[in-house]
Amino acid sequence: MDESVRRAMGKWPNVPAVYGWLSLGLDGHWHLRGEPIAHAGLVDFINRNYERDERGCWFFQNGPQRGYVMLAYTPWVLHVDDDGTLCTHTGPSVARVDAACVDEEGHLLLATEFGLGLVHAASVAAVSEWLIDESDHRTDADSFAAALNRLDAGEPGGLYLRYGGASVALERISRREAPERFGFVPEPQPPEP
């Protein structure tokens, strides 16, 4: 968080939070009242001051005021940069992946040290290169489809995602269960009085 933001919070500690203005799209872009934010300086400021509260609600700390973020899906959108590193939509590199899931719509979700992230559509092919089978061989499209069928049947899928020196089993998840399982609130509301 920016030091200027911390100072403003100390100077005006009781500024009411706002809800429903800022959102994070599936593409990792910020939107203000439904319109994409194009100003690079503002995007960088939001990225640096994006945090999570104790309820699992994500917000942008704008000086002394919190602007709670409506999430199109997950609190993070992940992409693979040019050197093959997994990164968040706010910029930092991912060091570890703790869980890898595929939902009923085919979205690939990764739980990282930052929280749950949706793999951006443009990076799914790069991330799929990190999928291996039980024999430590890279998987192909047929193996991937067969593994998903086994998972849907309630059996172990036999596929793993290897990243950062560790491997995690690929799991099925429903979009509906992701927020509770990974501890985030997609549409924050003011707390009950």
Side-chain angles (χ1 to χ4, degrees), residues 157-175:
L159 286 185
Y160 302 85
L161 185 129
R162 181 189 299 146
Y163 183 79
S167 298
V168 293
L170 186 66
E171 306 171 53
R172 270 294 200 185
I173 193 170
S174 74
R175 186 172 182 153

Side-chain angles (χ1 to χ4, degrees), residues 9-105:
M9 290 169 59
K11 193 171 184 180
W12 299 288
N14 297 314
V15 175
V18 295
Y19 293 82
W21 286 60
L22 187 63
S23 61
L24 177 65
L26 295 174
D27 57 4
H29 292 123
W30 298 109
H31 297 84
L32 186 61
R33 291 188 146 188
E35 295 296 319
I37 299 174
H39 189 279
L42 179 55
V43 169
D44 287 343
F45 184 61
I46 294 170
N47 287 346
R48 288 192 313 271
N49 296 286
Y50 181 53
E51 305 267 338
R52 178 186 181 275
D53 74 8
E54 66 284 347
R55 299 179 296 156
C57 299
W58 288 84
F59 62 89
F60 157 52
Q61 189 70 44
N62 183 18
Q65 186 171 53
R66 282 186 179 182
Y68 280 91
V69 177
M70 295 183 316
L71 306 171
Y73 195 163
T74 62
W76 298 98
V77 177
L78 306 170
H79 68 276
V80 178
D81 69 12
D82 292 339
D83 70 357
T85 302
L86 188 63
C87 299
T88 71
H89 68 278
T90 61
S93 298
V94 170
R96 70 173 200 275
V97 173
D98 300 321
C101 307
V102 176
D103 74 8
E104 66 275 18
E105 298 169 18

